[in-house]
DNA sequence: ATCCCTTTGTGAACCGATGCACAAAGTCGG
DNA sequence: CCGACTTTGTGCATCGGTTCACAAAGGGAT
């Protein structure tokens, strides 16, 4: 049953909007630090690099938090967006695969700043297991399930080689994890109920190369006949 | 007779398609290595994690390279996609900011595997400048313009702190770079003609948190009135 | 050569997202 | 208290992208 009248805000926020909320949040934090207390949709849109109509429509999905003729209260909007994104609680993140990338992630401060806490590091290599990285002990992959339960991990970051990713993925899902951030260049197969987001550097570069080639070749490029 | 005019393929490939081509390419490489010579849209779609109608429409933008009743020739399709993406030439990439992340990227093998070559590392920290990382000498940021020209860099990866990103960005654009991959959590301001792609880990986590919260709270969650 | 079977390539309906443009809502100065 | 001004919130047209569904193309068997 829907309860259209009783809820102040729409429960179905478009995916595209969700993806932009963190952007607004970042811009708002910057403004808050610079002492700005109120901001118009136009100014915030510029700071976030989007169109102001889009920004207003995005915010309207959360509720009606602006004041016409004035704009939005920075602090209040930060709170509303944070709450909507679930950043008022903190999330325990496990990083599986503590190689080049996993280490960089573990040492990254920007994580913690927004309600995310690296709660566990897990690796298969006996050389690495037992090391302390970013103040955390690296645990053995055999302990994966135990560690996830013990630390209350709800988001898993996969930074293992591609070949190991699916297996690790299956295991964490089996113990109830439903949110995965995957850096390995493989298509993970997961149940409908699990969210996977992927970051693939190589794909980003290939997209850049495509456009770069267009620019370089441009209208004058001799397109080889075959 | 395939190409009656000299332009066999459509020059306007949808952005969404471009973003998926690398995915197909990866799946095709895997198949090639496993000795598969021919693949149907259905099988390739499964391997790439997309819908087969979408895959066929995507490929149709490059030309008509399939055989009805049979499928696509793996090797030939790899070649066509590679060419379309501009991967038949190799691209010199510079990494600016050789900290946690920059180092991980520099040491990453997956770069080279697809026509990308890390041609330069640049940093501002005197501690780091002069070090050899992944076989490359780290150069000083003062040399940025000279290095980019000398090495023929056409793609720049930004892995500096957020505060330094815009300045570096302006400088590389000034010497003709038009493709940038940005890891710093800032909105870069660039001319129309420059392509910027961003990778923001923190945003990915926030999106996961949003959905995680929904799942956890689910239909039973007591939505607090405020 | 003909028929049957498989699979492509694509027209058309559909869907979500974008951006314009403006009425409604609120502020602020007088 | 009023009227001018600012800025929000949204209806609506539009657009790019997805999906369905099928005619046309080609291969292989007989
Ligand atoms: N480094 C980068 O810049 C980069 C960029 C894009 C993608 N990636 C991808 O990220 C992943 C990690 O890259 P990397 O450069 O850190 O590689 P890496 O080899 O340095 O690290 C991989 C780590 O995973 C561990 N591991 C292997 N099998 C495991 C298992 N079954 N369970 C747990 N841990 C296991 C290894 O011991 C190692 O420590 C790879 O899939 C890579 O393709 C890396
Ligand atoms: N490490 C991660 O996992 C991670 C994840 C997401 C985003 N990021 C972002 O990536 C960027 C780099 O992160 P990091 O963890 O490697 O930081 P880091 O501090 O380890 O490295 C930054 C490097 O940039 C160099 N630098 C500073 N100013 C410079 C300048 N003007 N020109 C050239 N080099 C300069 C520093 O000397 C340092 O070596 C940051 O913006 C960070 O927010 C990092």
């Amino acid at each position: 049953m829907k309860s259209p009248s009783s809820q102040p805000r729409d429960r179905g926020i478009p995916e595209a909007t969700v993806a932009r909320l963190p952007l607004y949040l970042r811009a708002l934090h910057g403004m808050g630090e610079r002492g700005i207390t109120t901001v118009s949709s136009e100014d915030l849109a510029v700071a976030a690099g989007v169109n102001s109509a889009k920004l207003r429509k995005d915010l309207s999905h959360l509720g009606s938090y602006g004041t016409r003729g004035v704009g939005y209260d920075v602090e209040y909007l930060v709170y509303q967006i944070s709450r909507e994104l679930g950043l008022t609680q903190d999330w325990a993140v496990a990083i599986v695969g503590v190689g080049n990338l996993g280490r960089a992630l573990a040492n990254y401060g920007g994580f913690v700043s927004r309600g995310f806490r690296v709660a566990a590091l897990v690796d298969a290599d006996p050389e690495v297991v037992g090391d302390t990285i970013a103040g955390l002990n690296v645990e053995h992959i055999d302990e994966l399930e135990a560690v996830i339960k013990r630390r209350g991990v709800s988001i898993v970051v996969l930074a293992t080689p591609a070949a190991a990713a699916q297996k690790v993925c299956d295991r964490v899902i089996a113990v109830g994890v439903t949110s995965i951030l995957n850096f390995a260049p493989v298509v993970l197969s997961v149940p409908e109920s699990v969210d996977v987001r992927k970051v693939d550097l190589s794909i980003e570069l290939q997209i850049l190369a495509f456009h770069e080639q267009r620019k370089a070749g441009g209208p004058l490029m001799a397109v080889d006949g075959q």
Side-chain angles (χ1 to χ4, degrees), chain A:
Chain A
M1 68 178 77
K2 272 261 137 185
S3 51
S5 50
S6 64
Q7 291 312 326
R9 49 191 165 279
D10 187 351
R11 295 277 93 193
I13 297 183
E15 200 48 40
T17 295
V18 172
R20 281 187 297 266
L21 291 178
L23 227 54
Y24 305 152
L25 199 48
R26 186 207 288 160
L28 286 165
H29 272 121
M31 290 172 168
E33 277 162 24
R34 304 210 316 275
I36 297 169
T37 60
T38 283
V39 67
S40 70
S41 62
E42 184 56 39
D43 290 353
L44 182 52
V46 169
V50 304
N51 167 309
S52 73
K54 181 150 58 180
L55 180 134
R56 286 197 300 277
K57 187 152 288 183
D58 283 344
L59 295 184
S60 77
H61 289 293
L62 316 194
S64 193
Y65 298 137
T67 306
R68 291 169 193 235
V70 176
Y72 301 88
D73 182 86
V74 172
E75 198 181 342
Y76 185 56
L77 197 51
V78 163
Y79 170 69
Q80 290 299 343
I81 296 178
S82 295
R83 194 177 46 76
E84 194 64 45
L85 287 173
L87 305 181
T88 48
Q89 58 194 286
D90 83 12
W91 298 94
V93 175
I95 299 175
V96 183
V98 192
N100 287 317
L101 186 59
R103 257 166 244 261
L105 298 176
N107 285 312
Y108 180 48
F111 259 167
V112 183
S113 72
R114 300 265 191 285
F116 299 95
R117 187 168 42 87
V118 180
L121 302 177
V122 183
D123 202 291
D125 184 350
E127 284 292 308
V128 179
V129 172
D131 286 7
T132 298
I133 294 176
L136 273 173
N137 182 44
V138 178
E139 324 234 15
H140 194 273
I141 187 73
D142 287 350
E143 300 293 314
L144 181 63
E145 290 82 358
V147 167
I148 285 178
K149 286 195 209 152
R150 182 169 356 121
R151 304 280 161 74
V153 167
S154 48
I155 300 178
V156 167
V157 174
L158 268 178
T160 65
Q166 183 68 57
K167 183 165 279 177
V168 172
C169 174
D170 292 344
R171 288 176 60 185
V172 302
I173 290 172
V175 283
V177 169
T178 56
S179 295
I180 295 173
L181 180 53
N182 179 34
F183 285 87
V186 278
V187 175
L188 293 177
S189 149
V190 300
E192 180 101 15
S193 59
V194 175
D195 275 303
V196 176
R197 296 195 63 90
K198 67 170 200 299
V199 173
D200 192 322
L201 193 35
S202 167
I203 288 181
E204 299 301 323
L205 285 177
Q206 289 174 57
I207 296 171
L208 284 175
F210 170 82
H211 292 293
E212 186 70 24
Q213 173 178 243
R214 291 246 150 154
K215 283 181 276 190
L220 292 176
M221 180 177 63
V223 178
D224 64 329
Q226 197 58 308

